[in-house]
Each structure stands twice: as C-alpha cells, then as structure tokens.
Amino acid sequence: MTNDKPDINVDTSGKLSARMSVFAWIICAVLGWALAFTSFTSITGDEEDVVITAQTEPNAEDAIRMEQVLPAAGDTQPNQ
C-alpha cells in the first residue's frame, strides 16, 4: 500500500541545479544591466528632452473665453 521508493525529482539539499543556477545568473545579469543603463541615462540625460507643459502665459483673450464657459454644475448664483 505504501510506496517506499524515493522520489528522484525532489531536491532536499536546498541547492539549485546547474541549469537553474545558470538561468538565475542570466536573469540577474540582464536585470543588472537594465538597471545600470536606465540609471546612467537618467543621470546623464540631456536637458533638451524635458517637456515644458506651460510654455506661454494666458492672455486677456483666453481669460475672456474662460469666463464665457458655463460651469458644469449649473447656475452658481443663488436665485433671488
């Protein structure tokens, strides 16, 4: 009823096999190079790549147009 044969697929030593060790080294090397590359490019990045969202200040015409937009909530003035 019981199976006394040892399972050869179970690793009880807690060590990685040679194939898994090489795979782990490759993964760690790729992640390390990716981290180094992104760190280096962020440190030495050009200032010209920075995107400025507000390049011009609003003028009087824009202010007049913004005042003509009705609020989404309806009338903001109480009815008197």
Side-chain angles (χ1 to χ4, degrees):
M1 295 282 169
T2 62
N3 189 0
D4 292 334
K5 293 181 183 178
D7 190 5
I8 60 172
N9 293 330
V10 176
D11 186 16
T12 58
S13 65
K15 295 181 181 178
L16 292 176
S17 66
R19 182 183 300 162
M20 289 303 294
S21 178
V22 170
F23 184 68
W25 273 98
I26 291 172
I27 293 296
C28 290
V30 169
L31 291 175
W33 278 105
L35 179 65
F37 179 74
T38 55
S39 298
F40 181 74
T41 55
S42 67
I43 290 171
T44 61
D46 293 335
E47 301 295 326
E48 298 170 3
D49 294 339
V50 177
V51 177
I52 300 173
T53 56
Q55 293 180 355
T56 58
E57 296 180 10
N59 55 19
E61 294 174 359
D62 292 335
I64 292 170
R65 278 189 255 143
M66 287 301 292
E67 288 179 1
Q68 293 174 352
V69 175
L70 296 176
D75 189 14
T76 58
Q77 304 266 337
N79 294 333
Q80 294 179 0

